[in-house]
Amino acid sequence: MNRSGDRLELALADTTGSGDLELLLPLTRGLVGLSLLTHQPVGEDGFFMLLLAPGRAAAAERLRRDVVAVLDVSGSMSGDKLDQAKAALVQLLGTVRSGDRFRVVTFASGVHRYAAGWTEVSADNIRAAQDWVRRVDTDGGTNIAGALTEALAEPPGEGALGVVVFLTDGMPTVGETDPERIAEQADHGRGAFRVFAFGIGYDVNTYLLDRLTDRARGVTEYIRPGGDIEQAVGSLATKISSPVLTDLALRGDGVELYDLQPERLPDLFAGEELVIFGRHRGGGSGERVVTVTGRRNGHEERFTTEARFGGEGSGNDYVPQLWAARKAGALSREIRLHGANPEVVGELKRLALRYGILTEYTSYLVQEPNQVVVRPMLLQAPAPQDQAGAEAVRRSRAEKALVGSAQLSAVTVSDGAEVDASSASRSQRIGGRVFVWRDSTWTDIAHGDSLRVVRVAAFSDAYFALLRALPELRKAATLEPAVLVAGRHVSIKIEAVGRTTWQDGELATLVRDFRS
């Protein structure tokens, strides 16, 4: 989809066999438009997807910003990299406007600042700061710890959005060099700042840069060697030029919303839709009101929308897998940046088996022709100081892709490559589950050898009674010649031979064991 002014252009690459197309266009009534979709699996809590679409940028320009630009000018930045980075900062300074304030910090072995404290925005002040940036040159090592201390020294003003834009092409070599200690110090000193980091090339420590942005409602962008630094920073400058709402929060009236992805909701900027996934429970079925709150210049704003919750077997069955993909990415990031614990590892394992989401830490299902290879789970992330180089950048990008999942075709990854989840000769996604072809049976990847298996003859009386009692099996039951579906404490196999009738109480017990 391409956006040009008030025009949207939608192109379908291949519509063969794709069925209906559902296009969601949130209508902006005032500052923000909302669209809410729900999905209620049988026998468990529901899922939802909320889309927030801000209005025109002009309507959002009243929110004040305090912007800190931090540039690495160590020796490794010399040449084209520095020229591009300086042009990017000049462009960033050109996006601040009346009412904003700014600071500029450069660092090599030492740390330098354009001026003490905040500089108010005026045409003369912007020109002077841009000229100062154009004159900086490279010199010495990389004092990241000192640069961050200076960048966070002046807190943003009350009601202003504080933004730090941090550019570096190297690992710390001067002052504190331990990436974990640097990240911890920045966490403690960050306050209300949002942090956006750019890693230029592969000689950067991804642990450090990702930790800087992980809990700061920001993001890290990695620019390949020889990549366009000016374009990357310019895209961020355009994005943050028109903030709409900060400190977003979400609540449901009469329904509990939980397990949001992302867990820490980012700020909302004009021109960018925000998609939030989560779970819901309680409230029965029917229309419920969902409220989004946020802050603008120190005042709370709120927006509401209505949606139907409950109703088992409802549509939108892609929502659970996209939620699971985003959560798997967030858990993988948690392990890498904050260490593993049994609870996080267990939840990541459950997501991998239930939804077929493969990450660096859940390489359980490496699909090969006619078999599934089970490999041990990687429980420990590389040490912080070892998270550097091209492989570390690739790993960080893979996590970011999962955290921002928007397409089912891209939610299973292994060893950095996409697994073809749509190939009928290897695997299929049916009814929110992933099935692989094994021993002439479509096998739910959540099935384990420890689960008891109940066999049911297809199209028998027992089969039709089973589908009435467990309607969530209806889609999976279409897989031929045989399908094995995993439940909580029992798996059900539908094939040519098997049980044809039920004794008193047997079906009720099976339903309980499958769901509970």
Side-chain angles (χ1 to χ4, degrees):
M1 184 178 72
N2 295 318
R3 181 194 300 270
S4 177
D6 291 336
R7 182 179 178 84
L8 292 176
E9 294 181 349
L10 184 70
L12 302 183
D14 183 4
T15 59
T16 304
S18 62
D20 294 337
L21 170 70
E22 188 172 359
L23 181 63
L24 306 175
L25 295 174
L27 302 180
T28 304
R29 295 180 293 274
L31 192 64
V32 178
L34 309 177
S35 289
L36 183 65
L37 300 178
T38 64
H39 175 74
Q40 181 67 62
V42 179
E44 61 177 300
D45 290 349
F47 299 81
F48 71 88
M49 179 174 73
L50 176 65
L51 295 88
L52 283 73
R56 295 178 179 273
E61 291 184 355
R62 297 188 308 274
L63 207 161
R64 294 180 292 110
R65 298 172 303 157
D66 285 344
V67 180
V68 186
V70 187
L71 175 61
D72 182 348
V73 294
S74 59
S76 58
M77 282 286 292
S78 62
D80 185 59
K81 280 196 290 188
L82 182 63
D83 291 340
Q84 282 198 50
K86 290 195 294 185
L89 255 61
V90 167
Q91 181 181 358
L92 176 64
L93 289 170
T95 65
V96 295
R97 55 184 177 266
S98 178
D100 293 342
R101 301 185 300 177
F102 68 90
R103 299 182 66 222
V104 183
V105 176
T106 63
F107 69 97
S109 296
V111 178
H112 304 278
R113 61 192 181 191
Y114 165 69
W118 292 103
T119 299
E120 298 287 342
V121 170
S122 69
D124 290 342
N125 287 344
I126 293 298
R127 279 194 297 271
Q130 290 173 329
D131 289 341
W132 185 85
V133 168
R134 293 186 182 102
R135 291 192 300 269
V136 301
D137 204 354
T138 56
D139 179 36
T142 308
N143 188 357
I144 290 180
L148 289 171
T149 298
E150 178 61 36
L152 303 174
E154 298 285 343
E158 181 68 27
L161 174 64
V163 176
V164 174
V165 180
F166 187 88
L167 289 86
T168 183
D169 77 331
M171 292 178 282
T173 60
V174 176
E176 178 61 71
T177 60
D178 182 85
E180 191 165 17
R181 285 198 289 268
I182 295 174
E184 288 176 353
Q185 292 169 6
D187 276 345
H188 292 146
R190 187 182 68 245
F193 275 114
R194 276 59 168 162
V195 181
F196 296 87
F198 291 87
I200 304 169
Y202 294 143
D203 294 329
V204 292
N205 186 279
T206 60
Y207 173 90
L208 174 56
L209 296 185
D210 290 343
R211 271 286 303 270
L212 290 178
T213 62
D214 180 49
R215 295 179 177 172
R217 299 181 192 249
V219 68
T220 302
E221 186 77 24
Y222 292 99
I223 304 170
R224 290 181 172 86
D228 193 332
I229 303 170
E230 187 175 357
Q231 182 182 36
V233 178
S235 296
L236 173 67
T238 300
K239 169 183 172 177
I240 66 175
S241 65
S242 299
V244 176
L245 291 174
T246 66
D247 304 301
L248 295 180
L250 187 63
R251 76 163 188 269
D253 296 335
V255 61
E256 180 185 356
L257 309 179
Y258 69 99
D259 217 339
L260 303 185
Q261 300 300 326
E263 180 181 2
R264 287 171 290 278
L265 300 183
D267 301 313
L268 184 62
F269 296 93
E272 284 208 352
E273 291 80 12
L274 176 61
V275 183
I276 302 168
F277 289 86
R279 304 295 306 270
H280 68 80
R281 61 184 165 215
S285 60
E287 293 285 340
R288 294 289 183 270
V289 174
V290 170
T291 302
V292 175
T293 61
R295 301 192 68 79
R296 285 173 53 79
N297 292 328
H299 301 288
E300 183 178 90
E301 303 266 3
R302 60 181 58 203
F303 307 89
T304 62
T305 188
E306 293 184 354
R308 177 169 293 278
F309 289 84
E312 293 184 340
S314 59
N316 310 319
D317 60 1
Y318 51 85
V319 173
Q321 284 184 291
L322 291 175
W323 168 85
R326 290 192 171 202
K327 182 162 186 179
L331 292 174
S332 297
R333 188 182 182 94
E334 180 71 18
I335 291 174
R336 182 169 64 88
L337 299 184
H338 303 285
N341 63 61
E343 181 179 352
V344 172
V345 171
E347 179 65 7
L348 192 51
K349 177 181 177 180
R350 187 189 70 80
L351 288 172
L353 294 177
R354 173 66 178 82
Y355 299 97
I357 310 298
L358 304 187
T359 73
E360 295 289 333
Y361 307 105
T362 59
S363 295
Y364 284 97
L365 300 167
V366 181
Q367 298 181 17
E368 297 180 357
N370 299 321
Q371 64 178 326
V372 176
V373 179
V374 179
R375 303 194 307 189
M377 184 173 184
L378 177 63
L379 298 179
Q380 296 296 331
Q385 64 270 19
D386 296 331
Q387 294 186 32
E391 175 62 18
V393 171
R394 185 203 60 75
R395 184 181 297 114
S396 178
R397 284 176 173 155
E399 290 173 358
K400 182 180 177 182
L402 272 181
V403 169
S405 295
Q407 298 181 25
L408 287 183
S409 62
V411 300
T412 54
V413 295
S414 177
D415 298 331
E418 289 188 8
V419 175
D420 182 2
S422 62
S423 172
S425 64
R426 301 179 68 183
S427 65
Q428 293 195 58
R429 295 182 180 276
I430 301 290
R433 297 173 180 264
V434 176
F435 295 87
V436 294
W437 182 247
R438 182 171 58 183
D439 298 331
S440 300
T441 299
W442 287 109
T443 303
D444 189 339
I445 65 170
H447 172 72
D449 292 339
S450 62
L451 286 178
R452 176 171 62 95
V453 177
V454 174
R455 290 172 168 80
V456 179
F459 308 113
S460 65
D461 291 343
Y463 168 87
F464 289 109
L466 174 69
L467 297 190
R468 287 193 296 270
L470 291 172
E472 60 265 41
L473 296 183
R474 290 173 182 170
K475 291 184 178 180
T478 63
L479 294 175
E480 296 179 338
V483 61
L484 180 63
V485 187
R488 297 294 178 87
H489 300 289
V490 65
S491 291
I492 298 172
K493 186 175 184 180
I494 300 173
E495 54 186 343
V497 297
R499 186 179 292 273
T500 59
T501 61
W502 302 105
Q503 301 295 323
D504 289 344
E506 282 185 328
L507 183 56
T509 300
L510 178 62
V511 170
R512 183 187 66 241
D513 291 345
F514 187 86
R515 289 178 174 171
S516 64

